Amino acid sequence: MSRGNSTSSSLTPTDDALIAAIRDGDERALAHLYRLHWPMVSHFVLQNSGSEDDAQDVYQEGVMVFYEKVRDGSLELSCQIKTYLYAVCRRLWLKRLTSKSRFGVRLLDDEEHGPYLNTGAEEDLLAAEEQDRRFTTMSEALNHLGEPCRSLLEGFYLLDKSMQDLTAEFGYTNADNAKNQKYKCLVRLKKLFFTHYKEEPI
């Protein structure tokens, strides 16, 4: 099993090289990976009621899941990259088909790239979806926060402005007053975040 810099014996030398290059920020390696396994995912989506555009959307999302796991050092592999990507993209396409149909969906799998189960891809994809949901909820909470809290928090946390700069920008008498206001805004933001987060369907 591979985590961070360790490598599973099930990986090919090409897989090892691709993971190392992507981890080092080599964009050519990512482009090569994209071209390498695109036909596999395209064939799968097309034979399961999808279009070329559907296949591209699913594949791009699947590659990004893989890329982010490699870059943050949390990737675990007990299979080859192509099997992992197949599992991720299969899950993504199944989710789309299920959302469009009132009936059960049965996918036709490519025997060459199965089995798709027990690759760790399912857990990684669910984690990525959960992270996206948190970011979306936080963005919505910021939108509901109102001014000046929204601009104050964005200025400090996103734009990396100092408390002195924010004190002058928002007209506070001193930096301590600005800090107190920032704290109150954070409390409000957390309440909004958890209220919206709990209300969202799982």
Side-chain angles (χ1 to χ4, degrees):
M1 183 169 289
S2 170
R3 178 184 288 274
N5 293 326
S6 61
T7 305
S8 168
S9 59
S10 66
L11 301 183
T12 66
T14 301
D15 284 349
D16 288 340
L18 278 173
I19 290 173
I22 291 172
R23 187 183 296 121
D24 291 339
D26 188 341
E27 294 184 1
R28 293 173 301 175
L30 185 62
H32 175 68
L33 172 71
Y34 191 96
R35 292 191 300 269
L36 187 62
H37 301 304
W38 159 246
M40 169 188 70
V41 174
S42 175
H43 175 72
F44 167 74
V45 173
L46 289 174
Q47 75 171 354
N48 283 284
S49 306
S51 66
E52 192 79 8
D53 287 341
D54 291 328
Q56 288 181 353
D57 289 344
V58 166
Y59 189 52
Q60 287 171 3
E61 190 171 348
V63 169
M64 284 309 301
V65 169
F66 176 79
Y67 172 79
E68 290 173 0
K69 299 295 288 186
V70 171
R71 292 288 288 168
D72 68 18
S74 63
L75 179 70
E76 292 189 6
L77 280 182
S78 57
C79 59
Q80 293 183 4
I81 291 175
K82 68 178 182 180
T83 307
Y84 181 92
L85 285 175
Y86 184 84
V88 170
C89 293
R90 183 187 190 279
R91 163 74 178 178
L92 288 169
W93 185 235
L94 176 61
K95 185 177 179 180
R96 290 196 185 189
L97 288 179
T98 302
S99 68
K100 297 177 182 179
S101 175
R102 294 182 301 168
F103 308 101
V105 176
R106 183 178 180 182
L107 298 178
L108 298 175
D109 285 299
D110 190 335
E111 293 181 1
E112 179 185 353
H113 301 108
Y116 54 83
L117 297 176
N118 301 320
T119 63
E122 182 89 1
E123 292 80 3
D124 288 348
L125 183 57
L126 289 175
E129 291 173 350
E130 177 70 5
Q131 185 179 49
D132 286 343
R133 192 161 76 95
R134 285 177 178 268
F135 280 134
T136 299
T137 303
M138 181 59 75
S139 178
E140 291 174 352
L142 270 173
N143 288 334
H144 284 87
L145 190 59
E147 298 295 350
C149 280
R150 176 180 175 178
S151 295
L152 181 61
L153 294 179
E154 287 181 344
F156 185 78
Y157 291 105
L158 300 181
L159 303 179
D160 201 27
K161 294 182 179 179
S162 68
M163 291 310 302
Q164 287 76 16
D165 291 338
L166 293 171
T167 297
E169 181 178 340
F170 288 92
Y172 295 112
T173 54
N174 54 56
D176 286 337
N177 285 341
K179 288 179 182 178
N180 288 335
Q181 183 60 43
K182 178 173 70 71
Y183 173 76
K184 292 177 182 178
C185 291
L186 270 178
V187 171
R188 287 183 56 201
L189 179 62
K190 288 179 180 179
K191 288 181 179 179
L192 284 170
F193 172 79
F194 286 111
T195 298
H196 285 278
Y197 191 68
K198 289 177 182 177
E199 289 177 352
E200 287 189 4
I202 302 299

